[in-house]
Amino acid sequence: MKRLPLIFALLSTLLGTAFADDWDDILADARGQTVYFHAWGGSQPINDYLSWVAQRVDEEYGVELQHVKVAETGAVVSQVLSEKTAGRDQNGSVDLVWINGENFAAMKANGLLFGPFTQNLPNYALVDTANKPTTRFDFTTPVDGLEAPWGMAQLVFIYDSARLDTPPSSMADLLDFAKANPGRFTYPAPPAFHGTTFIKQALLELTDTPDALYQPVEAADFDTVTAPLWAFLDELHPLMWRRGQTFTNGAPEMQRLLADGEIAISLSFNPNDASNLIATGELPDSVRTYVHDAGSIGNTHFVAIPYNSSQTAAAQVVANFLMSPEAQARKADTNVWGDPTVLALDKLDANQRGLFDALPRGVATLAPDELGAVLREPHASWVGALEQAWLERYAR
């Protein structure tokens, strides 16, 4: 028995050496490869950040990163699925994709993902998988090492304190606000991401059976569970911007309307977004952030590698760099992007922790305890069903 510790130590050393050798092989294979990274291109700060990432992975690893700007990730999933249907199992057009939620569930269900690979990435050991369970479950779908955590998100509302003294604290309060201030609120039309998130938040707050939302939609009485949501929206829409007959196409248009004073409340899935937009001069410095008393939907966003990428080594190198303390700290800077980190700060050494300690906290950024409870996303199957029901009721 006395020999067991020695055996375990030897095995640990051998496994660690094998891991290092494997990663060295990946680094060697990656050099000279080009990664086509399909990621939302609707935000200039995010586009600028990815330009910086491209510069760094070229300097450090000899990897060329091309940001392919997309408007909607669902189109990327359809593209990879079309390639699989056509038998294009190698040299796919997508090497890395910014993804989460229903799109990840769809790619996983259709065998469109490379991996598992995250355990190959040295920086994955720094991820806060214990206290941020959404790094392991994407909209209730187990990640299983098929996508690498990139950033955290939580729904917040944004208002101009120069125009509104006390923001609503619930969906019921929001309806009262709309009655008292007609035309001063709107939200993006689903299936735009922020619009779908808003109706999920409203449903979580209003339904009498929230537990049903964490099971496949087929197992629930959809009409009964969602009845309070449609009653709320039926009453809200005539009170909204342009009487609810026109919707915005996404968060950027919402922020523009807020900056112009056309609406009093906007929304974001980034708790640092308001501070970031103040820093870039896109919103006035009187803008502040708030959440509802019941909490708000939160999740993790990821990067994944399609099964038919021919640049998997370089794609893993980029995914690993995106999780590095250097890249995560820069991304968390409200002067750059302001996206919360997926890392556990207590796993970092002093120098790495110092990168985060030095970050400025924006004037409109809530403290962690002010963000309130994080509400888990409903089961991914609810997304399509809610969007379809919304379109049938309200699309013009």
Side-chain angles (χ1 to χ4, degrees):
M1 294 296 291
K2 292 181 179 179
R3 299 176 61 187
L4 283 178
L6 177 61
I7 294 173
F8 286 140
L10 180 59
L11 285 173
S12 177
T13 300
L14 290 173
L15 289 171
T17 302
F19 177 85
D21 287 346
D22 289 346
W23 182 243
D24 286 343
D25 289 342
I26 290 171
L27 289 174
D29 290 344
R31 188 165 291 278
Q33 291 187 345
T34 298
V35 173
Y36 289 92
F37 183 14
H38 290 236
W40 183 58
S43 166
Q44 192 56 47
I46 294 175
N47 296 341
D48 291 343
Y49 174 78
L50 289 178
S51 294
W52 172 81
V53 171
Q55 178 183 339
R56 290 291 295 119
V57 297
D58 182 32
E59 292 171 348
E60 292 290 326
Y61 307 108
V63 170
E64 181 181 357
L65 181 67
Q66 294 284 344
H67 177 194
V68 180
K69 300 180 178 69
V70 300
E72 212 281 306
T73 305
V76 182
V77 178
S78 298
Q79 183 175 344
V80 178
L81 183 59
S82 296
E83 291 176 354
K84 184 174 184 179
T85 302
R88 185 176 173 182
D89 295 326
Q90 296 180 336
N91 300 316
S93 58
V94 183
D95 299 306
L96 194 67
V97 56
W98 182 8
I99 193 172
N100 73 340
E102 70 272 28
N103 290 313
F104 170 69
M107 293 193 77
K108 187 179 182 185
N110 287 283
L112 301 180
L113 294 167
F114 167 80
F117 70 94
T118 55
Q119 282 71 15
N120 298 336
L121 312 181
N123 288 326
Y124 183 73
L126 303 176
V127 173
D128 191 358
T129 54
N131 298 308
K132 297 173 180 171
T134 53
T135 59
R136 296 181 286 112
F137 295 92
D138 191 351
F139 284 53
T140 72
T141 302
V143 170
D144 293 335
L146 294 170
E147 56 180 356
W150 188 21
M152 298 295 298
Q154 185 174 348
L155 177 66
V156 295
F157 294 91
I158 301 171
Y159 73 107
D160 189 342
S161 62
R163 302 173 183 271
L164 176 62
D165 292 332
T166 305
S169 60
S170 66
M171 286 296 169
D173 270 0
L174 178 62
L175 184 57
D176 288 341
F177 166 81
K179 291 175 180 175
N181 303 274
R184 306 302 305 283
F185 177 74
T186 189
Y187 65 92
F193 173 76
H194 292 87
T196 301
T197 300
F198 174 76
I199 63 171
K200 286 187 293 185
Q201 173 74 26
L203 180 57
L204 280 166
E205 288 192 44
L206 297 169
T207 185
D208 297 324
T209 54
D211 290 346
L213 301 175
Y214 299 109
Q215 304 298 323
V217 67
E218 296 81 8
D221 182 340
F222 183 81
D223 291 340
T224 299
V225 173
T226 60
L229 171 67
W230 310 125
F232 168 77
L233 294 180
D234 286 349
E235 195 170 0
L236 178 67
H237 282 183
L239 304 168
M240 295 201 319
W241 178 72
R242 296 187 176 176
R243 300 180 183 276
Q245 297 180 357
T246 299
F247 292 82
T248 62
N249 56 20
E253 186 177 4
M254 293 279 290
Q255 318 307 16
R256 183 183 61 75
L257 292 176
L258 181 67
D260 292 344
E262 287 197 56
I263 60 175
I265 298 173
S266 183
L267 51 82
S268 174
F269 216 57
N270 182 346
N272 294 320
D273 212 12
S275 293
N276 194 31
L277 293 169
I278 291 172
T280 58
E282 296 173 75
L283 285 178
D285 58 9
S286 53
V287 160
R288 295 293 183 270
T289 301
Y290 73 96
V291 293
H292 289 174
D293 290 346
S296 60
I297 287 178
N299 67 37
T300 300
H301 53 96
F302 300 81
V303 294
I305 304 171
Y307 84 103
N308 60 348
S309 167
S310 60
Q311 312 290 301
T312 57
Q316 289 178 84
V317 168
V318 173
N320 184 62
F321 178 77
L322 293 174
M323 289 191 295
S324 68
E326 176 190 1
Q328 288 279 306
R330 184 177 179 88
K331 186 161 63 68
D333 189 337
T334 55
N335 293 316
V336 177
W337 177 350
D339 192 45
T341 183
V342 297
L343 302 182
L345 297 190
D346 59 2
K347 291 183 178 179
L348 307 184
D349 63 31
N351 290 333
Q352 294 168 336
R353 178 66 182 258
L355 296 174
F356 290 90
D357 291 341
L359 292 176
R361 179 180 164 192
V363 65
T365 301
L366 297 175
D369 58 342
E370 294 175 320
L371 279 171
V374 176
L375 305 180
R376 289 185 297 130
E377 292 273 6
H379 188 276
S381 60
W382 281 86
V383 174
L386 285 170
E387 290 174 344
Q388 182 62 35
W390 189 96
L391 290 169
E392 290 174 357
R393 285 173 173 271
Y394 305 120
R396 298 177 185 278

